[in-house]
PDB file of all heavy atoms in Angstrom:
ATOM      1  N   GLU A 283      21.658  44.819 -71.234  1.00 98.00           N
ATOM      2  CA  GLU A 283      22.081  46.081 -71.873  1.00 98.00           C
ATOM      3  C   GLU A 283      22.033  47.214 -70.850  1.00 98.00           C
ATOM      4  O   GLU A 283      22.940  48.057 -70.792  1.00 98.00           O
ATOM      5  CB  GLU A 283      21.169  46.412 -73.061  1.00 98.00           C
ATOM      6  CG  GLU A 283      21.574  47.721 -73.744  1.00 98.00           C
ATOM      7  CD  GLU A 283      20.493  48.316 -74.626  1.00 98.00           C
ATOM      8  OE1 GLU A 283      19.291  48.102 -74.356  1.00 98.00           O
ATOM      9  OE2 GLU A 283      20.854  49.021 -75.583  1.00 98.00           O
ATOM     10  N   TYR A 284      20.980  47.229 -70.035  1.00 98.00           N
ATOM     11  CA  TYR A 284      20.849  48.297 -69.036  1.00 98.00           C
ATOM     12  C   TYR A 284      21.990  48.238 -68.027  1.00 98.00           C
ATOM     13  O   TYR A 284      22.524  49.265 -67.608  1.00 98.00           O
ATOM     14  CB  TYR A 284      19.492  48.204 -68.331  1.00 98.00           C
ATOM     15  CG  TYR A 284      19.166  49.436 -67.513  1.00 98.00           C
ATOM     16  CD1 TYR A 284      18.879  50.647 -68.135  1.00 98.00           C
ATOM     17  CD2 TYR A 284      19.145  49.402 -66.119  1.00 98.00           C
ATOM     18  CE1 TYR A 284      18.583  51.783 -67.398  1.00 98.00           C
ATOM     19  CE2 TYR A 284      18.853  50.530 -65.367  1.00 98.00           C
ATOM     20  CZ  TYR A 284      18.571  51.726 -66.017  1.00 98.00           C
ATOM     21  OH  TYR A 284      18.283  52.856 -65.280  1.00 98.00           O
ATOM     22  N   LEU A 285      22.396  47.018 -67.653  1.00 98.00           N
ATOM     23  CA  LEU A 285      23.530  46.863 -66.742  1.00 98.00           C
ATOM     24  C   LEU A 285      24.793  47.470 -67.359  1.00 98.00           C
ATOM     25  O   LEU A 285      25.530  48.209 -66.700  1.00 98.00           O
ATOM     26  CB  LEU A 285      23.748  45.372 -66.429  1.00 98.00           C
ATOM     27  CG  LEU A 285      24.960  45.019 -65.556  1.00 98.00           C
ATOM     28  CD1 LEU A 285      24.893  45.723 -64.205  1.00 98.00           C
ATOM     29  CD2 LEU A 285      25.060  43.506 -65.358  1.00 98.00           C
ATOM     30  N   ASN A 286      25.029  47.191 -68.634  1.00 98.00           N
ATOM     31  CA  ASN A 286      26.175  47.761 -69.351  1.00 98.00           C
ATOM     32  C   ASN A 286      26.062  49.294 -69.414  1.00 98.00           C
ATOM     33  O   ASN A 286      27.025  50.018 -69.150  1.00 98.00           O
ATOM     34  CB  ASN A 286      26.227  47.163 -70.772  1.00 98.00           C
ATOM     35  CG  ASN A 286      27.475  47.572 -71.551  1.00 98.00           C
ATOM     36  OD1 ASN A 286      27.908  48.716 -71.526  1.00 98.00           O
ATOM     37  ND2 ASN A 286      28.048  46.629 -72.279  1.00 98.00           N
ATOM     38  N   ASP A 287      24.853  49.786 -69.742  1.00 98.00           N
ATOM     39  CA  ASP A 287      24.650  51.231 -69.869  1.00 98.00           C
ATOM     40  C   ASP A 287      24.806  51.953 -68.537  1.00 98.00           C
ATOM     41  O   ASP A 287      25.305  53.079 -68.488  1.00 98.00           O
ATOM     42  CB  ASP A 287      23.270  51.515 -70.470  1.00 98.00           C
ATOM     43  CG  ASP A 287      23.204  51.203 -71.959  1.00 98.00           C
ATOM     44  OD1 ASP A 287      24.267  50.935 -72.561  1.00 98.00           O
ATOM     45  OD2 ASP A 287      22.098  51.227 -72.522  1.00 98.00           O
ATOM     46  N   LEU A 288      24.347  51.309 -67.459  1.00 98.00           N
ATOM     47  CA  LEU A 288      24.529  51.908 -66.124  1.00 98.00           C
ATOM     48  C   LEU A 288      26.007  52.154 -65.835  1.00 98.00           C
ATOM     49  O   LEU A 288      26.394  53.220 -65.348  1.00 98.00           O
ATOM     50  CB  LEU A 288      23.970  50.973 -65.043  1.00 98.00           C
ATOM     51  CG  LEU A 288      22.540  51.165 -64.554  1.00 98.00           C
ATOM     52  CD1 LEU A 288      22.226  50.116 -63.497  1.00 98.00           C
ATOM     53  CD2 LEU A 288      22.302  52.561 -63.978  1.00 98.00           C
ATOM     54  N   LYS A 289      26.823  51.162 -66.167  1.00 98.00           N
ATOM     55  CA  LYS A 289      28.266  51.297 -65.933  1.00 98.00           C
ATOM     56  C   LYS A 289      28.832  52.433 -66.786  1.00 98.00           C
ATOM     57  O   LYS A 289      29.604  53.268 -66.304  1.00 98.00           O
ATOM     58  CB  LYS A 289      28.975  49.979 -66.261  1.00 98.00           C
ATOM     59  CG  LYS A 289      30.468  50.020 -65.970  1.00 98.00           C
ATOM     60  CD  LYS A 289      31.145  48.703 -66.317  1.00 98.00           C
ATOM     61  CE  LYS A 289      32.650  48.806 -66.150  1.00 98.00           C
ATOM     62  NZ  LYS A 289      33.335  47.597 -66.629  1.00 98.00           N
ATOM     63  N   GLN A 290      28.439  52.477 -68.053  1.00 98.00           N
ATOM     64  CA  GLN A 290      28.921  53.555 -68.934  1.00 98.00           C
ATOM     65  C   GLN A 290      28.455  54.920 -68.443  1.00 98.00           C
ATOM     66  O   GLN A 290      29.202  55.894 -68.475  1.00 98.00           O
ATOM     67  CB  GLN A 290      28.411  53.325 -70.365  1.00 98.00           C
ATOM     68  CG  GLN A 290      29.047  52.149 -71.071  1.00 98.00           C
ATOM     69  CD  GLN A 290      30.524  52.361 -71.335  1.00 98.00           C
ATOM     70  OE1 GLN A 290      30.956  53.428 -71.758  1.00 98.00           O
ATOM     71  NE2 GLN A 290      31.327  51.344 -71.071  1.00 98.00           N
ATOM     72  N   TYR A 291      27.219  54.979 -67.973  1.00 98.00           N
ATOM     73  CA  TYR A 291      26.633  56.252 -67.523  1.00 98.00           C
ATOM     74  C   TYR A 291      27.376  56.796 -66.303  1.00 98.00           C
ATOM     75  O   TYR A 291      27.723  57.980 -66.235  1.00 98.00           O
ATOM     76  CB  TYR A 291      25.158  56.025 -67.192  1.00 98.00           C
ATOM     77  CG  TYR A 291      24.412  57.279 -66.777  1.00 98.00           C
ATOM     78  CD1 TYR A 291      23.804  58.079 -67.736  1.00 98.00           C
ATOM     79  CD2 TYR A 291      24.318  57.651 -65.440  1.00 98.00           C
ATOM     80  CE1 TYR A 291      23.114  59.231 -67.371  1.00 98.00           C
ATOM     81  CE2 TYR A 291      23.632  58.799 -65.061  1.00 98.00           C
ATOM     82  CZ  TYR A 291      23.037  59.584 -66.029  1.00 98.00           C
ATOM     83  OH  TYR A 291      22.362  60.727 -65.660  1.00 98.00           O
ATOM     84  N   TRP A 292      27.642  55.907 -65.338  1.00 98.00           N
ATOM     85  CA  TRP A 292      28.263  56.361 -64.093  1.00 98.00           C
ATOM     86  C   TRP A 292      29.781  56.467 -64.186  1.00 98.00           C
ATOM     87  O   TRP A 292      30.398  57.233 -63.446  1.00 98.00           O
ATOM     88  CB  TRP A 292      27.845  55.444 -62.925  1.00 98.00           C
ATOM     89  CG  TRP A 292      26.412  55.685 -62.587  1.00 98.00           C
ATOM     90  CD1 TRP A 292      25.320  54.966 -63.011  1.00 98.00           C
ATOM     91  CD2 TRP A 292      25.879  56.769 -61.822  1.00 98.00           C
ATOM     92  NE1 TRP A 292      24.160  55.534 -62.562  1.00 98.00           N
ATOM     93  CE2 TRP A 292      24.462  56.647 -61.813  1.00 98.00           C
ATOM     94  CE3 TRP A 292      26.458  57.839 -61.126  1.00 98.00           C
ATOM     95  CZ2 TRP A 292      23.633  57.546 -61.162  1.00 98.00           C
ATOM     96  CZ3 TRP A 292      25.625  58.731 -60.458  1.00 98.00           C
ATOM     97  CH2 TRP A 292      24.236  58.581 -60.482  1.00 98.00           C
ATOM     98  N   LYS A 293      30.369  55.748 -65.121  1.00 98.00           N
ATOM     99  CA  LYS A 293      31.839  55.766 -65.214  1.00 98.00           C
ATOM    100  C   LYS A 293      32.346  56.661 -66.341  1.00 98.00           C
ATOM    101  O   LYS A 293      33.453  57.183 -66.275  1.00 98.00           O
ATOM    102  CB  LYS A 293      32.344  54.338 -65.437  1.00 98.00           C
ATOM    103  CG  LYS A 293      33.745  54.109 -64.907  1.00 98.00           C
ATOM    104  CD  LYS A 293      34.074  52.629 -64.879  1.00 98.00           C
ATOM    105  CE  LYS A 293      35.314  52.369 -64.063  1.00 98.00           C
ATOM    106  NZ  LYS A 293      35.571  50.950 -63.879  1.00 98.00           N
ATOM    107  N   ARG A 294      31.535  56.827 -67.391  1.00 98.00           N
ATOM    108  CA  ARG A 294      32.008  57.575 -68.565  1.00 98.00           C
ATOM    109  C   ARG A 294      31.043  58.659 -69.031  1.00 98.00           C
ATOM    110  O   ARG A 294      31.405  59.456 -69.890  1.00 98.00           O
ATOM    111  CB  ARG A 294      32.228  56.609 -69.747  1.00 98.00           C
ATOM    112  CG  ARG A 294      33.125  55.431 -69.421  1.00 98.00           C
ATOM    113  CD  ARG A 294      34.543  55.861 -69.114  1.00 98.00           C
ATOM    114  NE  ARG A 294      35.383  54.722 -68.742  1.00 98.00           N
ATOM    115  CZ  ARG A 294      36.668  54.834 -68.381  1.00 98.00           C
ATOM    116  NH1 ARG A 294      37.237  56.023 -68.355  1.00 98.00           N
ATOM    117  NH2 ARG A 294      37.366  53.777 -68.051  1.00 98.00           N
ATOM    118  N   GLY A 295      29.820  58.638 -68.517  1.00 98.00           N
ATOM    119  CA  GLY A 295      28.807  59.566 -69.006  1.00 98.00           C
ATOM    120  C   GLY A 295      28.414  60.606 -67.982  1.00 98.00           C
ATOM    121  O   GLY A 295      29.261  61.192 -67.299  1.00 98.00           O
ATOM    122  N   TYR A 296      27.113  60.788 -67.824  1.00 98.00           N
ATOM    123  CA  TYR A 296      26.590  61.906 -67.022  1.00 98.00           C
ATOM    124  C   TYR A 296      26.588  61.656 -65.517  1.00 98.00           C
ATOM    125  O   TYR A 296      26.242  62.548 -64.748  1.00 98.00           O
ATOM    126  CB  TYR A 296      25.165  62.235 -67.491  1.00 98.00           C
ATOM    127  CG  TYR A 296      25.142  62.840 -68.874  1.00 98.00           C
ATOM    128  CD1 TYR A 296      24.771  62.092 -69.988  1.00 98.00           C
ATOM    129  CD2 TYR A 296      25.534  64.165 -69.071  1.00 98.00           C
ATOM    130  CE1 TYR A 296      24.771  62.645 -71.262  1.00 98.00           C
ATOM    131  CE2 TYR A 296      25.540  64.729 -70.336  1.00 98.00           C
ATOM    132  CZ  TYR A 296      25.157  63.960 -71.421  1.00 98.00           C
ATOM    133  OH  TYR A 296      25.181  64.527 -72.679  1.00 98.00           O
ATOM    134  N   GLY A 297      26.964  60.453 -65.084  1.00 98.00           N
ATOM    135  CA  GLY A 297      26.898  60.129 -63.659  1.00 98.00           C
ATOM    136  C   GLY A 297      27.642  61.122 -62.781  1.00 98.00           C
ATOM    137  O   GLY A 297      27.119  61.586 -61.766  1.00 98.00           O
ATOM    138  N   TYR A 298      28.874  61.467 -63.158  1.00 98.00           N
ATOM    139  CA  TYR A 298      29.693  62.428 -62.390  1.00 98.00           C
ATOM    140  C   TYR A 298      30.290  63.441 -63.354  1.00 98.00           C
ATOM    141  O   TYR A 298      30.739  63.077 -64.453  1.00 98.00           O
ATOM    142  CB  TYR A 298      30.817  61.692 -61.640  1.00 98.00           C
ATOM    143  CG  TYR A 298      30.299  60.618 -60.719  1.00 98.00           C
ATOM    144  CD1 TYR A 298      30.528  59.264 -60.989  1.00 98.00           C
ATOM    145  CD2 TYR A 298      29.549  60.946 -59.584  1.00 98.00           C
ATOM    146  CE1 TYR A 298      30.038  58.273 -60.160  1.00 98.00           C
ATOM    147  CE2 TYR A 298      29.049  59.951 -58.753  1.00 98.00           C
ATOM    148  CZ  TYR A 298      29.285  58.617 -59.034  1.00 98.00           C
ATOM    149  OH  TYR A 298      28.789  57.644 -58.216  1.00 98.00           O
ATOM    150  N   ASP A 299      30.309  64.692 -62.938  1.00 97.00           N
ATOM    151  CA  ASP A 299      30.815  65.761 -63.808  1.00 97.00           C
ATOM    152  C   ASP A 299      32.238  65.509 -64.299  1.00 97.00           C
ATOM    153  O   ASP A 299      32.579  65.831 -65.432  1.00 97.00           O
ATOM    154  CB  ASP A 299      30.782  67.117 -63.072  1.00 97.00           C
ATOM    155  CG  ASP A 299      29.386  67.730 -63.075  1.00 97.00           C
ATOM    156  OD1 ASP A 299      28.520  67.216 -63.826  1.00 97.00           O
ATOM    157  OD2 ASP A 299      29.163  68.700 -62.334  1.00 97.00           O
TER     158      ASP A 299
END
Side-chain angles (χ1 to χ4, degrees):
E283 180 198 29
Y284 193 70
L285 176 58
N286 186 318
D287 286 351
L288 266 180
K289 183 181 174 187
Q290 290 294 316
Y291 183 89
W292 289 97
K293 208 168 193 173
R294 307 295 177 182
Y296 291 103
Y298 303 111
D299 280 349

